[in-house]
């Protein structure tokens, strides 16, 4: 296209404050358009006399010389929209017969019958922004209460942890004392029972039973080891590797949310791979605690009283003469000493478990000011036609079939989002496997609201769910777009 012989500049437009500027130029860019000087393309691609601006011919590669015409394909037209929000449009939409600007400035040479309704739209936007601000202020007030409750709860946890540490020391002391008493009582018991023929038979029977239990235990251990190895061996090549171990969060010993290289080396015995035989002989011993928790009650009762009473003639007067009170008392004392030790051992382990859980809570990320801690003990539900969803923050997400009441785990707490979305996203992974598909997972998208509520649920892809969730805990900063609308509101003092 040839340049026109004569260039006639378009008349400037009023910026609303009595100052003139070329049509389509936004107020922040006004300084680059000085009629008394040469015009320089904003990308540096050239310079021209100022009357080349808005002459309906594209001279600059970035289209910056034609902000008010459709001459440049990549040009940008600014709608000032007094009374409402200023917006930028592709300059190709200038004078195209469609009203894009509420002040109708984009259709200054077209036949479009545009009305300036910026004032009405601005009033509606302002009213909506005020409503958002009102909701935000209520949410912020609740959030401040959450922060207070979170601090009190953390202080309560610390005080309880301090007390439990004292109890742990005392419980260990009592456990050791009861163990000494048990061993002394069992020594006296064995001396007495050694004199009785029935004791020998009972002892042999007990040893045979213990041997059977040992064999059963060994078989079970081997079966459990095979099962665990099969689970860990993701690619089914018969070998475990550090990368396979890293996949399983159960090996996160320090609870920082990921399986570190040090943790992998610990469980892999610092080896690059581990075969099934090596796993069963060495690896399973150290990895087993990560699969199962110890049953303290069963462990505390290594010598069950009911079985011993069946095999030991404690109350059988035909085997122990009723007049031999010393024998009877020794047997009773031994049984009581075993029970006392089992109780002391269970108490000690229960205290240790509670200390472990408390430390996890104290180290967990419940927000910058622990404002999300109040959600830890709550479970929220959302009902659809066929399913009921139950979200327990920092724990799990369950899907319930309404007809059968069957529950399916669709996610376990993993971590927060990353970057700017840190406290706006919750990730729940490791849910039950889908039929011929991946493990179920959930992403919870958080928004500021005056109550803790699930507002919508969508299965964005097979077995992947997205929850919309409102909570006062996120009412910390008013959204920038709302601030922008309210900046000229005389009532807006936030």
């Amino acid at each position: 296209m040839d340049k026109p012989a004569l260039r006639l500049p378009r008349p400037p437009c009023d910026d609303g404050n009595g100052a003139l500027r070329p049509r389509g130029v936004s107020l922040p860019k006004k300084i680059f358009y000085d009629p008394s000087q040469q015009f320089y393309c904003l990308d540096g691609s050239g310079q021209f006399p100022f009357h080349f601006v808005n002459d309906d011919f594209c001279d600059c590669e970035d289209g910056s010389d034609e902000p008010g015409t459709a001459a440049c394909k990549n040009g940008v037209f600014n709608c000032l929209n007094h009374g409402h929000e200023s917006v930028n449009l592709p300059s190709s939409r200038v004078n195209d017969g469609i009203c894009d600007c509420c002040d109708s400035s984009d259709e200054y040479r077209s036949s479009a019958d545009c009305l300036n309704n910026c004032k009405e739209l601005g009033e509606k936007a302002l009213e909506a922004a005020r409503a958002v601000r009102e909701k935000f202020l209520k949410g912020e007030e609740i959030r401040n209460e959450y922060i207070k409750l979170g601090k009190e709860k953390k202080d309560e946890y610390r005080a309880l942890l301090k007390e439990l540490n004292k109890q742990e020391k005392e419980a260990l002391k009592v456990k050791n004392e009861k163990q000494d008493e048990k061993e002394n009582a069992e020594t006296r018991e064995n001396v007495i029972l050694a004199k009785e023929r029935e004791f020998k038979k009972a002892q042999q029977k007990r040893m045979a039973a213990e041997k059977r239990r040992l064999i059963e235990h060994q078989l079970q251990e081997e079966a459990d080891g095979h099962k665990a190895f099969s689970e860990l061996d993701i690619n089914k090549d018969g070998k475990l590797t550090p990368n396979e171990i890293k996949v399983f969060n159960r090996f996160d010993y320090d609870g920082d949310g990921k399986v570190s290289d040090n943790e992998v080396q610990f469980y892999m015995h610092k080896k690059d791979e581990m075969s099934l035989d090596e796993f069963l002989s060495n690896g399973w011993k150290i990895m087993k605690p990560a699969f199962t928790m110890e049953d303290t009650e069963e462990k505390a009762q290594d010598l069950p009283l009911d079985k011993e009473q069946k095999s030991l003639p404690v109350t059988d007067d035909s085997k122990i003469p009723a007049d031999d009170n010393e024998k009877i008392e020794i047997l009773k004392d031994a049984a009581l000493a075993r029970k006392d030790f089992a109780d002391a051992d269970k108490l000690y382990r229960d205290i240790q478990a509670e200390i472990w859980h408390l430390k996890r809570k104290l180290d967990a990320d419940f927000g910058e000011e622990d404002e999300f801690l109040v959600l830890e003990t709550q479970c929220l539900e959302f009902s659809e036609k066929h399913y009921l969803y139950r979200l327990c923050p920092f724990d799990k997400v369950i899907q319930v079939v309404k007809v059968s009441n069957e529950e399916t785990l669709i996610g376990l707490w993993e971590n927060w989002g990353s970057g700017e979305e840190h406290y706006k996203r919750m990730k729940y992974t490791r849910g039950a496997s889908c039929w011929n598909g991946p493990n179920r997972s959930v992403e919870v998208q958080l928004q500021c609201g005056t109550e803790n509520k699930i507002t919508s649920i969508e299965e964005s892809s097979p077995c992947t769910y997205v929850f919309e969730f409102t909570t006062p805990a996120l009412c910390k900063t008013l959204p920038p777009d709302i601030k922008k609308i309210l900046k000229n509101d005389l009532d807006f003092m936030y």
Side-chain angles (χ1 to χ4, degrees), residues 69 102 195 270:
T69 75
C102 66
K195 299 177 182 179
K270 298 183 178 180

Side-chain angles (χ1 to χ4, degrees), residues 12-27:
C13 64
D14 193 323
D15 67 4
N17 296 310
L20 297 179
R21 60 188 174 89
R23 188 182 300 276
V25 175
S26 63
L27 292 178

Side-chain angles (χ1 to χ4, degrees), residues 358-426:
L358 270 178
K359 287 182 177 179
R360 294 269 294 187
K361 289 183 178 182
L362 285 170
D363 294 338
D365 184 0
F366 293 114
E368 294 177 353
E369 301 175 273
D370 292 321
E371 63 271 24
F372 292 95
L373 182 56
V374 295
L375 298 176
E376 183 203 17
T377 57
Q378 299 186 29
C379 285
L380 302 106
E381 295 184 344
F382 185 87
S383 180
E384 289 186 339
K385 185 175 181 180
H386 301 293
Y387 299 104
L388 176 72
Y389 293 89
R390 187 177 300 117
L391 168 64
C392 300
F394 307 105
D395 185 12
K396 60 188 175 183
V397 186
I398 299 293
Q399 181 191 65
V400 183
V401 180
K402 289 185 175 180
V403 175
S404 62
N405 210 34
E406 179 183 355
E407 294 188 357
T408 301
L409 177 70
I410 61 175
L412 289 172
W413 168 249
E414 183 74 19
N415 51 37
W416 291 100
S418 58
E420 296 181 356
E421 300 293 308
H422 185 61
Y423 293 118
K424 296 181 181 180
R425 297 283 188 275
M426 280 181 160

